[in-house]
Amino acid sequence: MKTIEHWINGSPTAGTSPETAPVFNPATGQEQARVALASAADVDTAVTAATAAFETWSESSLTQRTQVMFAFRQLLVEHEEELGRIISTEHGKTVDDARGEITRGREVVEFACGLGDVLKGSFSDQVSRGVDVHNFRQPLGVVAGITPFNFPAMVPLWMHPIAIATGNTFILKPSERDPSAANFVAELYKRAGLPDGVFNVVHGGKEAVDAILTHSGVEAVSFVGSTPIARYVHETATAHGKRVQALGGAKNHAVVLPDADLEFAANHITAGAYGSAGERCMAVSVAVAVGTAADGLVEILERKAGEVKVGPGDVPGIEMGPLVTKASQQRVENAVGTAATQGATVVVDGRGLKIDGHESGFFTGPSLLDHVTTEMDAYKEELFGPVLAVVRVDSLDEAIGVINANPYGNGTALFTGSGEAARRFQRNVKVGMIGVNVPVPVPMSYYSFGGWKDSLIGDSPIHGPEGIRFYTRPKVVTTRWPQPKQQVTAGFNFPTSS
């Protein structure tokens, strides 16, 4: 049985802890590897290596850093298929879906390649007689990322390219459910010319997380995961003097107005709900059908849910793979049963799906629930699985009210042909990322990703301009260069421009 080790100071490292955890192939249900679980001592080793590397990396030229990023970006292109299959084998998503997440992560690398323009400071000449002012930004030091299982390549790539390109060193603690992508990325960084110790990977559970959150040598922590853990990360790390990005859970609504093209809307909502088996923080989990749109929308959604091709992620043509664990499969299927007992109509029932030759895999089919109310568990809970709930309302204003009353505010979408309705929706809805006729509104890398309310703990979104600000801090310099022998009178009052 293969053991997946940590990556510290430029090479695989077994670590000091004998503890390991199983890594499954979700399509077969079989254990395929063990992953080492780091102790606090292992985290300290990684911090020590990153601290030493920071001394030289932070002094490297911007040209050197961007050259590494350009080389790393090219390696991601060349090894996209291999990395995609690694992700598919451990996560369960299709290889095509995995390639898609690599592409979206690579966009952040491309943004990092252009940091020369973004990092330019400003200069003010002659703010007072003979006095100039300028500012610039500097890296923090050792920073860390704690990332979820659902995007083992993309979410870390939203963090470390910007952190590294701005001169920091990085420690990644990926999910122990699908750890191999992180080590593969570490090898690509080494091949790209990144010095040892600048990028490190420690695998583990709560002990490793707590060690990162409390270590005095870690300056900042980025986190993506559930809201309760995001709160814990934010509270613990800030209590220990760190900057924190903490992105939490979601319950994303797609509103469909009667004037929308229902075939178009249903097609995109189906992909948004069941893509990656619904294991996305931006998945469409609620369709809000307004007025006369409801019956026709549900009819088309039922047909399209039945057309989704479910199977092993490495089989060509498959659109939806298994869930990541047996526990996830059971939790999602139990949620469908609970919805039925609470009064929802189970239009499409994905429970009990068996795939020939993969009977032990963690598969469940798409489920579609109609007549769901906001009091039902299927609406209130983030199911993180292929379950779409339909909530019926009478007006756009009522739909906006439903969304605004929800504790989450990550992403939302509106399907309509009305510019007036779209403008009213995007101005009044209390959500951080909005799509108009776009079901999954993940912004491009040069914008920042982050929701509102319980979907973002604190106030620091991820990547884009906010990512630059998060991983750097500003300095403002005021200078005077008097001529030789020039007498400059010093005042004892608070200085003013003159």
Side-chain angles (χ1 to χ4, degrees), residues 31 44 78 85 95 124 155 228-229 264 315 427 485 487:
E31 182 179 337
D44 184 66
E78 294 171 1
R85 291 191 176 278
V95 175
S124 296
V155 170
I229 304 303
F264 175 90
V315 174
R427 286 183 56 81
K485 299 180 181 181
Q487 295 299 315

Side-chain angles (χ1 to χ4, degrees), residues 62 65-66 107-122 135-138 161-163 165-166 445-448 463-474:
L62 190 57
R65 290 183 232 151
T66 54
E107 290 169 358
V108 179
V109 181
E110 292 164 357
F111 177 70
C113 289
L115 285 191
D117 182 67
V118 180
L119 285 177
K120 286 191 302 188
S122 59
N135 74 327
F136 60 97
R137 306 189 71 87
Q138 289 186 310
I162 295 177
T166 51
S445 62
Y446 35 84
Y447 287 85
S448 296
H463 72 59
E466 296 290 343
I468 300 295
R469 284 190 282 272
F470 181 76
Y471 290 121
T472 61
R473 52 188 156 208

Side-chain angles (χ1 to χ4, degrees), residues 224-302:
V224 176
S226 70
T227 293
I229 304 303
R231 291 192 189 281
Y232 174 78
V233 168
H234 189 270
E235 291 169 3
T236 304
T238 53
H240 286 81
K242 306 183 193 316
R243 290 187 178 185
V244 182
Q245 289 174 321
L247 280 66
K251 196 71 178 179
N252 305 311
H253 303 68
V255 178
V256 182
L257 296 185
D259 71 341
D261 181 328
L262 295 187
E263 187 78 19
F264 175 90
N267 193 46
H268 285 275
I269 290 172
T270 298
Y274 304 130
S276 198
E279 294 175 318
R280 298 192 284 209
C281 68
M282 290 293 285
V284 177
S285 55
V286 181
V288 184
V290 178
T292 57
D295 288 342
L297 178 67
V298 171
E299 180 181 345
I300 302 171
L301 287 172
E302 178 182 10

Side-chain angles (χ1 to χ4, degrees), residues 27 310 312 353-359 363:
V310 183
L353 177 67
K354 296 296 180 183
I355 302 298
D356 290 343
H358 294 77
E359 288 79 7
F363 291 96

Side-chain angles (χ1 to χ4, degrees), residues 155-478:
V155 170
L157 282 165
W158 284 359
M159 301 173 182
H160 53 74
I162 295 177
I164 291 170
T166 51
N168 301 279
T169 55
F170 198 91
I171 298 171
L172 173 63
K173 207 301 289 182
S175 171
E176 61 275 23
R177 296 177 184 175
D178 43 11
S180 295
N183 287 30
F184 189 84
V185 167
E187 293 175 359
L188 295 186
Y189 263 132
K190 187 176 182 71
R191 290 177 54 185
L194 190 68
D196 293 345
V198 176
F199 181 76
N200 306 273
V201 180
V202 290
H203 302 289
K206 189 175 187 300
E207 182 178 357
V209 169
D210 285 345
I212 290 170
L213 300 182
T214 61
H215 199 293
S216 60
V218 176
E219 299 291 336
V221 176
S222 300
F223 172 83
V224 176
S226 70
T227 293
I229 304 303
R231 291 192 189 281
Y232 174 78
V233 168
H234 189 270
E235 291 169 3
T236 304
T238 53
H240 286 81
K242 306 183 193 316
R243 290 187 178 185
V244 182
Q245 289 174 321
L247 280 66
K251 196 71 178 179
N252 305 311
H253 303 68
V255 178
V256 182
L257 296 185
D259 71 341
D261 181 328
L262 295 187
E263 187 78 19
F264 175 90
N267 193 46
H268 285 275
I269 290 172
T270 298
Y274 304 130
S276 198
E279 294 175 318
R280 298 192 284 209
C281 68
M282 290 293 285
V284 177
S285 55
V286 181
V288 184
V290 178
T292 57
D295 288 342
L297 178 67
V298 171
E299 180 181 345
I300 302 171
L301 287 172
E302 178 182 10
R303 168 168 52 85
K304 291 188 177 296
E307 294 171 351
V308 175
K309 299 180 179 65
V310 183
D314 60 352
V315 174
I318 292 297
E319 296 170 319
M320 191 182 99
L323 292 168
V324 70
T325 63
K326 183 70 174 177
S328 296
Q329 178 196 38
Q330 293 171 341
R331 175 178 49 77
V332 168
E333 296 197 348
N334 289 341
V336 175
T338 299
T341 62
Q342 291 180 342
T345 302
V346 182
V347 180
V348 178
D349 192 340
R351 293 174 293 177
L353 177 67
K354 296 296 180 183
I355 302 298
D356 290 343
H358 294 77
E359 288 79 7
S360 297
F362 309 141
F363 291 96
T364 189
S367 289
L368 176 64
L369 310 175
D370 193 10
H371 301 102
V372 174
T373 69
T374 56
E375 291 77 31
M376 293 180 183
D377 291 347
Y379 176 81
K380 293 189 293 185
E381 297 176 1
E382 185 183 19
L383 301 181
F384 229 60
V387 180
L388 176 62
V390 178
V391 174
R392 296 177 179 232
V393 299
D394 294 328
S395 67
L396 174 59
D397 288 338
E398 186 180 351
I400 292 172
V402 167
I403 295 170
N404 289 350
N406 192 278
Y408 296 112
N410 209 41
T412 189
L414 175 68
F415 288 88
T416 182
S418 167
E420 183 279 328
R423 189 173 189 275
R424 179 154 44 107
F425 181 79
Q426 67 194 33
R427 286 183 56 81
N428 294 333
V429 76
K430 296 177 181 177
V431 176
M433 293 172 285
I434 300 166
V436 177
N437 297 316
V438 175
V440 183
V442 178
M444 295 297 290
S445 62
Y446 35 84
Y447 287 85
S448 296
F449 179 103
W452 285 16
K453 299 184 284 188
D454 286 353
S455 294
L456 178 66
I457 310 305
D459 59 355
S460 294
I462 204 166
H463 72 59
E466 296 290 343
I468 300 295
R469 284 190 282 272
F470 181 76
Y471 290 121
T472 61
R473 52 188 156 208
K475 278 185 176 177
V476 181
V477 182
T478 304

